[in-house]
Amino acid sequence: MIYQTQLFKGLFKPQISLYQLQKAEAVKKVVPKLLFLYLISLTIFAISTYFGIGTETYSGNIQDSSEKYESGKLLLLAGRLVASLIYPTLFIWFAALFFWLALDIPYFKIVIVQMFTLTLLLVGQLITLPVLVLLDLNHVSNPFSFGVVSQYVIDHEYWTSFFGSITLFHFVAILVQYYYFRFLSEKNRFVIMIFIILFYLLLWFFEGLLAFIKISVFF
């Protein structure tokens, strides 16, 4: 059976997609959907850079002259655009390798699930972006994250950055991955959940570290 890759069907009709994915021996329409995800990621990063989301520290450090300021903005935009390509690459391909080694699921099926999950997270960023812009908030103060609460209970920049990286959309993504992996893998369901949580902990620690040391990659 050949699986036809449909991103939103994988999110809104998971039972049908799961059944087809279980029976699939090959997949079609992967490349166009991958290009679509990369394009959306690039667009989100470009827009967030334009509005200064996640670049506050740098904007404040490149005001020596108008020439340096404009040059700094171009370098910053270039860095963010590179990051927009790194983000889906790591999330889809390297994460699929991690889960393939841990859960013994065919690699191409994990790639498809990761594409579903990335679609969800990108939609979450599309929802978050106008909220941050309109309310003039940084990523730590994202109302969809735990950063807001952490600022009241933790007086440490790294940990507020760490919790600011954890959003409600991530928890929905965890449920989506768990649903698919639970039926695609023969591993114990608790083992599956442990590896999924481990993956996201690594992701959040990494994002929190980048924000803490002022390397603007995600928002």
Side-chain angles (χ1 to χ4, degrees):
M1 177 178 179
I2 298 177
Y3 180 80
Q4 303 280 347
T5 307
Q6 299 182 60
L7 300 176
F8 289 100
K9 181 179 178 181
L11 293 174
F12 294 106
K13 295 182 178 180
Q15 290 181 324
I16 297 175
S17 292
L18 174 63
Y19 175 78
Q20 294 174 339
L21 200 55
Q22 286 175 315
K23 303 295 183 182
E25 298 176 353
V27 294
K28 291 182 64 175
K29 298 184 179 180
V30 175
V31 174
K33 300 302 169 63
L34 279 171
L35 292 176
F36 171 75
L37 291 175
Y38 274 96
L39 178 61
I40 296 299
S41 176
L42 188 148
T43 302
I44 291 173
F45 275 69
I47 294 174
S48 66
T49 302
Y50 177 81
F51 286 104
I53 304 299
T55 65
E56 298 85 356
T57 300
Y58 304 90
S59 298
N61 291 333
I62 55 177
Q63 295 178 351
D64 297 335
S65 67
S66 59
E67 183 178 344
K68 286 185 177 180
Y69 182 72
E70 293 303 321
S71 299
K73 285 202 302 184
L74 288 176
L75 288 173
L76 187 59
L77 177 60
R80 294 278 287 179
L81 293 182
V82 171
S84 72
L85 302 178
I86 294 174
Y87 178 36
T89 299
L90 292 176
F91 194 89
I92 294 175
W93 303 107
F94 284 88
L97 179 62
F98 171 80
F99 288 121
W100 174 67
L101 292 172
L103 303 179
D104 194 26
I105 302 172
Y107 184 79
F108 80 90
K109 294 186 180 183
I110 301 176
V111 167
I112 299 300
V113 175
Q114 289 303 110
M115 290 171 64
F116 295 157
T117 311
L118 180 61
T119 301
L120 172 63
L121 294 180
L122 290 177
V123 169
Q125 290 185 0
L126 286 173
I127 294 172
T128 302
L129 183 56
V131 175
L132 298 183
V133 172
L134 292 174
L135 298 180
D136 193 23
L137 301 173
N138 58 29
H139 85 284
V140 176
S141 300
N142 177 0
F144 299 109
S145 77
F146 288 85
V148 177
V149 176
S150 68
Q151 292 178 74
Y152 290 100
V153 296
I154 302 175
D155 186 21
H156 193 285
E157 188 176 355
Y158 171 76
W159 289 111
T160 55
S161 298
F162 170 77
F163 285 105
S165 302
I166 305 174
T167 70
L168 298 177
F169 301 104
H170 283 117
F171 288 96
V172 180
I174 288 172
L175 293 177
V176 170
Q177 285 174 298
Y178 176 72
Y179 175 79
Y180 279 97
F181 292 161
R182 183 163 65 94
F183 294 103
L184 292 174
S185 174
E186 295 181 358
K187 299 288 186 180
N188 182 282
R189 64 179 61 189
F190 296 106
V191 172
I192 294 172
M193 181 57 76
I194 287 172
F195 278 106
I196 293 175
I197 293 175
L198 177 60
F199 167 73
Y200 279 97
L201 283 175
L202 293 173
L203 178 67
W204 295 328
F205 275 120
F206 182 63
E207 290 189 32
L209 180 62
L210 292 179
F212 177 64
I213 62 178
K214 313 304 182 188
I215 298 179
S216 179
V217 178
F218 309 111
F219 70 86

